[in-house]
């Protein structure tokens, strides 16, 4: 895994702006993503200067032959690339048949030569996670692209003067000469609503994310830099409405075969590989298939928290013994979490209320000498594991009678529920004020902060309360997804297109990279997604959550593991925020006075949380505290 960065400036400004120095500064800020080496490439065209930078975490082919930026001598094309393309061996064989030769053994040169030969069409062939920049001097174009699910991040910004820059993280873009460091209102609204900035927005005005499965082409041949609209190159597969699986046993067999292949591909590495092992179905399935594919002893790591209501370690030990896994347990105490509080917050490229779990286990991997870890992330989204699946369907059933009532009758009920000290009641109040669609129901369930709480927090002059907490393009994409297939499959697509990409995948990347750890996710795979979403949604929950995943792994896992209710490692933040972390949280919240909030709103929210009446959650407090520390640390302020 690596970090990439690049900058384009008009030729007439190159002497003043010094793109070489800018890229050097950007790559220095990405050192944690690639501590094994760095490199740069500079091109001076007649109209624009382009500089590309790269920091390397050597996972495949650690030799200098796989270093980046990588130049293709025949065409002059240049690639910088962050990620892993797992089917690189098959692509290499195809390219060799077409006459290409290789001097390295990893995937980077395969990606480069594939782009040289097939251009942007190569993106559809890649099976893996990636963010890349490919410069083709033959046409003076720069191609930026991101993998189908958004596992690897890519942010960009452009200036009115014709400058353009991109990076694996937001933070290097804050140091650009033209950076204004101003808070983006829509990014903030999405952040407060869902606990993380909703793509393509960030918290910084003028900085946005390239959406998953999109490519952006820039033309450097013209006098004015031509930045084209991003184009989607892949769509999540959508199964038209079907009520029952035609061949459930065959579906389970196909799913098992596809997942086993994905795990095998995800284990290809020249660096040590381990598994995040919780004892739950997802991670246990990954560990079992790793042990089957490896032929050598697999490593597994489990984190538990002292005083938590549930301890994963005993179950993880059973799994480790069953498959001969070399097992490491990490026990975290409240005092240790308090000591590392600021370190965790400072590791966030963008703030959020989640991610502490991944930061903790990533640190444990780094300390154990592990550079690659396989995670069970993605199984809940594809196989119906979250409570949002039955709850969204329940809302759909209730929508018909409730939304047949006129709005003037629903409004008093919404007001009554919104005044109750219950998060569930307040989410229902939000829902009653929507159109009652499946998409609106899902988004209400996923909110960290209900709209009523946002109205009490945000100053009405600064921000208009609306559905603009999601980009219109994302909203329309989610709306199409929720209308073109059966309801449960629609929820899978909504989870993958919002919560997974804007929160879970972002956290996995930034928390893993904070410790120079590459986190791989075999469930978040094109072939696995196509297998899962090719099956009617009802089949996935026919006998409870993840029915088909359990069936696919039945001969491999013990019945007690398969039938166990969903649990997981969670930091007991509600208790900690009222205890050892209280002084730190109060210090962070005190700096929100300059934010576009109503006078005294954060203080009232904090005291409501301390009273413990259920009206304010620990996630809401963490959302505000993380935001405050991030804006303060990076000097990002409110628009003048």
């Amino acid at each position: 895994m690596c970090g990439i960065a690049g900058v384009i400036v008009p030729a007439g400004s190159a002497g003043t702006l010094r793109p070489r120095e800018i890229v050097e500064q950007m790559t220095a800020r990405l050192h944690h993503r690639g501590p094994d080496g760095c490199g740069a490439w500079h091109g001076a065209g007649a109209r624009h200067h382009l500089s590309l930078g790269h920091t390397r975490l050597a996972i495949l082919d650690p030799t200098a032959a796989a270093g980046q930026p990588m130049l293709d001598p025949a065409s002059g094309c240049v690639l910088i690339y962050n990620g892993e393309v797992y089917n690189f061996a098959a692509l290499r064989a195809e390219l060799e048949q077409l006459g290409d030769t290789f001097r390295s053994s990893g995937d980077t040169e395969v990606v480069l030569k594939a782009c040289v030969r097939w251009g942007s069409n190569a993106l559809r062939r890649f099976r893996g996670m990636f963010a890349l920049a490919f410069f083709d001097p033959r046409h003076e174009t720069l191609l930026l692209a991101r993998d189908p699910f958004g596992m690897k991040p890519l942010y960009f910004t452009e200036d009115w003067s014709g400058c353009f820059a991109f990076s694996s993280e937001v933070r290097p873009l804050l140091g650009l000469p033209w950076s204004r460091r101003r808070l983006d209102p829509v990014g903030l609204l999405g952040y407060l609503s869902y606990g993380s900035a909703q793509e393509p927005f960030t918290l910084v005005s003028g900085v946005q994310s390239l959406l998953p499965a999109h490519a952006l082409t820039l033309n450097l041949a013209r006098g004015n830099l031509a930045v084209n609209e991003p184009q989607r190159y892949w769509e999540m597969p959508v199964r038209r409405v079907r009520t029952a699986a035609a061949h459930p046993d065959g579906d389970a067999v196909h799913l098992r075969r596809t997942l086993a292949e994905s795990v095998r591909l995800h284990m290809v590495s020249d660096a040590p590989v381990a598994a995040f092992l919780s004892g739950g179905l997802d991670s246990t399935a990954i560990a079992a298939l790793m042990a089957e594919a490896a032929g050598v002893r697999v490593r597994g790591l489990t984190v538990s928290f002292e005083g938590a209501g549930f301890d994963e370690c005993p179950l993880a030990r059973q799994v480790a013994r069953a498959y001969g896994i070399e097992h490491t347990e990490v026990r975290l105490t409240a005092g240790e979490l308090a000591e590392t509080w600021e370190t965790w917050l400072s590791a966030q490229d963008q703030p959020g209320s989640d991610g502490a779990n991944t930061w903790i286990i990533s640190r444990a991997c780094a300390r154990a000498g592990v550079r690659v870890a396989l995670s069970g992330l993605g199984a809940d989204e594809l196989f119906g594991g979250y409570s949002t699946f039955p709850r969204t369907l329940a809302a759909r059933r209730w929508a018909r009678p409730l939304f047949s009532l006129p709005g003037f009758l629903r409004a008093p009920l919404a007001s009554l529920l919104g005044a109750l000290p219950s998060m569930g009641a307040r989410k229902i109040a939000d829902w009653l004020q929507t159109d009652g669609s499946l998409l609106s129901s899902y988004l209400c369930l996923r909110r960290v902060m209900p709209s009523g709480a946002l109205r009490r927090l945000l100053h009405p002059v600064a921000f208009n309360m609306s559905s603009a907490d999601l980009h219109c393009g994302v909203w329309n994409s989610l709306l199409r997804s929720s209308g073109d297939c059966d309801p449960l499959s629609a929820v899978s697509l909504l989870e993958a297109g919002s919560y997974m990409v804007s929160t879970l995948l972002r956290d996995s990347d930034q928390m893993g990279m904070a410790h120079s750890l590459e986190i791989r996710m075999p469930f978040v795979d094109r072939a696995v997604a196509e297998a899962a979403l090719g099956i009617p949604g009802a089949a996935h929950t026919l006998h409870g959550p993840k029915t088909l995943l359990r069936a696919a792994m039945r001969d491999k896992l013990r019945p007690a593991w398969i039938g166990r209710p969903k649990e997981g490692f969670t930091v007991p933040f509600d208790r900690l925020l009222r205890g050892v972390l209280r002084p730190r949280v109060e210090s962070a919240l005190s700096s929100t006075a300059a934010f576009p909030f109503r006078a005294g709103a954060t203080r009232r929210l904090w005291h409501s949380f301390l009273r413990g009446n259920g009206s304010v959650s620990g996630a809401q407090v963490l959302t505000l505290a993380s935001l405050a520390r991030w804006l303060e640390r990076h000097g990002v302020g409110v628009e003048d």
Side-chain angles (χ1 to χ4, degrees):
M1 204 54 58
C2 309
I4 64 174
V7 63
I8 302 171
V9 302
S13 304
T16 305
L17 291 175
R18 297 188 177 93
R20 291 173 180 256
E21 295 180 10
I22 293 174
V23 161
E24 287 176 3
Q25 293 167 3
M26 293 173 74
T27 52
R29 293 190 176 193
L30 296 172
H31 175 76
H32 55 282
R33 299 184 68 92
D36 297 330
C38 64
W41 178 91
H42 309 284
R47 296 176 176 84
H48 298 92
H49 286 205
L50 168 66
S51 289
L52 303 175
H54 182 267
T55 62
R56 186 183 186 197
L57 179 63
I59 301 298
L60 293 173
D61 189 355
T63 69
Q68 298 183 50
M70 184 175 282
L71 174 70
D72 179 59
S75 64
C77 295
V78 184
L79 174 77
I80 51 174
Y81 156 62
N82 167 33
E84 304 288 350
V85 168
Y86 301 116
N87 62 334
F88 76 94
L91 290 173
R92 174 172 177 148
E94 182 178 356
L95 289 164
E96 285 176 332
Q97 286 186 341
L98 294 172
D100 286 317
T101 58
F102 293 83
R103 59 189 182 87
S104 63
S105 61
D107 60 335
T108 302
E109 192 174 6
V110 174
V111 172
L112 171 61
K113 291 188 180 293
C115 289
V116 171
R117 182 170 291 275
W118 297 312
S120 62
N121 290 326
L123 302 173
R124 300 186 182 94
R125 296 170 174 259
F126 297 154
R127 182 177 178 180
M129 54 181 181
F130 58 85
L132 62 84
F134 172 73
F135 177 64
D136 189 340
R138 299 169 298 183
H139 308 290
E140 289 193 65
T141 57
L142 179 69
L143 174 71
L144 303 180
R146 194 172 174 207
D147 68 70
F149 297 94
M151 287 180 275
K152 292 292 102 186
L154 189 59
Y155 301 96
F156 64 92
T157 182
E158 54 182 312
D159 185 54
W160 65 270
S161 63
C163 298
F164 183 96
F166 65 90
S167 174
S168 294
E169 296 187 357
V170 170
R171 290 175 291 187
L173 300 176
L174 298 177
L176 295 170
W178 61 86
S179 174
R180 296 178 62 241
R181 299 196 184 210
R182 289 294 178 261
L183 190 62
D184 185 276
V186 180
L188 175 65
L189 188 58
Y191 173 83
L192 294 174
S193 297
Y194 301 103
S196 60
Q198 299 299 292
E199 298 203 354
F201 292 102
T202 70
L203 286 169
V204 184
S205 180
V207 176
Q208 66 180 30
S209 170
L210 183 64
L211 287 171
H214 278 70
L216 173 65
T217 304
L218 297 92
N219 191 326
L220 283 68
R222 303 177 185 175
N224 294 323
L225 181 67
V227 182
N228 299 318
E229 283 295 315
Q231 298 296 312
R232 178 180 282 275
Y233 65 84
W234 182 78
E235 291 274 2
M236 286 279 279
V238 176
R239 171 62 102 182
R240 298 294 175 181
V241 176
R242 212 165 42 136
T243 56
H247 305 287
D249 292 338
D251 288 335
V253 170
H254 175 60
L255 182 60
R256 165 68 171 274
R257 186 183 303 117
T258 305
L259 183 58
E261 180 195 26
S262 179
V263 169
R264 179 182 59 79
L265 289 173
H266 280 70
M267 291 181 67
V268 175
S269 171
D270 292 324
V273 181
F276 290 167
L277 185 58
S278 69
L281 174 63
D282 308 339
S283 69
T284 301
I286 295 297
L289 293 173
M290 286 178 71
E292 180 179 80
V296 295
R297 197 173 190 190
V298 173
R299 299 185 70 176
L301 289 95
T302 306
V303 174
S304 64
F305 194 89
E306 189 176 77
F310 175 73
D311 187 355
E312 295 179 311
C313 285
L315 287 167
R317 285 185 214 121
Q318 292 180 24
V319 175
R321 284 195 297 269
Y323 299 109
I325 293 172
E326 182 184 338
H327 189 217
T328 301
E329 296 179 10
V330 179
R331 191 78 166 172
L332 191 68
T333 67
E336 186 179 1
L337 183 64
E339 291 173 3
T340 59
W341 165 262
E342 292 293 343
T343 309
W344 165 54
L345 291 181
S346 66
Q348 296 179 330
D349 178 51
Q350 288 196 85
S353 59
D354 209 346
N357 301 0
T358 309
W359 186 87
I360 291 164
I361 196 168
S362 296
R363 183 182 64 170
C365 284
R367 289 178 173 178
V370 172
R371 289 201 143 194
V372 179
L374 270 59
S375 163
L377 193 156
D380 285 313
E381 290 79 2
L382 292 175
F383 302 108
Y386 289 131
S387 63
T388 48
F389 285 84
R391 289 180 180 180
T392 303
L393 265 62
R396 187 170 175 265
R397 290 192 298 271
W398 279 99
R400 180 168 296 178
L402 282 173
F403 284 85
S404 64
L405 299 173
F408 71 86
L409 291 179
R410 294 200 311 270
L413 178 58
S415 297
L416 178 65
L417 291 170
L420 295 176
S422 162
M423 192 64 62
R426 292 180 175 183
K427 287 187 176 184
I428 295 173
D430 278 358
W431 176 62
L432 288 171
Q433 298 175 74
T434 69
D435 59 4
S437 66
L438 186 144
L439 174 57
S440 296
S441 302
Y442 167 79
L443 292 175
C444 285
L445 286 167
R446 269 293 172 206
R447 293 184 80 96
V448 169
M449 194 172 293
S451 60
L454 275 178
R455 290 190 190 97
R456 289 187 289 272
L457 179 67
L458 289 169
H459 195 287
V461 176
F463 294 96
N464 292 319
M465 297 303 301
S466 69
S467 61
D469 49 10
L470 285 179
H471 183 268
C472 61
V474 176
W475 175 277
N476 291 332
S477 176
L478 295 176
L479 189 61
R480 287 196 308 272
S481 299
S482 60
D484 287 346
C485 55
D486 64 81
L488 278 165
S489 295
V491 177
S492 282
L493 293 170
L494 295 177
E495 290 285 10
S498 56
Y499 178 58
M500 187 173 81
V501 65
S502 290
T503 300
L504 298 181
L505 293 178
R506 185 210 63 178
D507 286 342
S508 289
D509 176 80
Q510 65 181 12
M511 296 296 97
M513 287 290 94
H515 300 285
S516 302
L517 175 74
E518 176 173 302
I519 300 177
R520 298 179 178 180
M521 294 149 279
F523 285 112
V524 189
D525 175 81
R526 283 175 55 169
V528 174
E530 288 166 358
L533 293 172
I535 301 167
H540 287 293
T541 58
L542 187 62
H543 303 296
K546 303 179 186 174
T547 294
L548 274 178
L549 180 58
R550 295 173 195 274
M553 297 302 300
R554 185 171 291 121
D555 67 325
K556 195 71 178 174
L557 307 181
R558 294 178 184 175
W561 302 342
I562 289 179
R564 190 171 67 84
K566 180 177 175 59
E567 298 276 3
F569 166 60
T570 55
V571 178
F573 269 120
D574 279 33
R575 175 168 57 84
L576 296 173
L577 292 171
R578 296 186 180 100
V580 294
L581 293 177
R582 180 170 177 172
R584 292 171 172 81
V585 173
E586 289 180 341
S587 172
L589 293 180
S590 67
S591 67
T592 62
F595 291 5
F597 296 159
R598 294 176 186 268
T602 53
R603 177 174 48 81
R604 288 190 294 271
L605 182 142
W606 173 241
H607 287 296
S608 294
F609 172 74
L610 291 177
R611 286 194 295 270
N613 61 7
S615 62
V616 177
S617 68
Q620 292 177 356
V621 172
L622 277 173
T623 296
L624 289 174
S626 298
L627 173 69
R629 278 288 181 257
W630 190 87
L631 295 177
E632 182 181 50
R633 181 177 294 109
H634 299 294
V636 177
V638 180
E639 289 281 2
D640 298 329

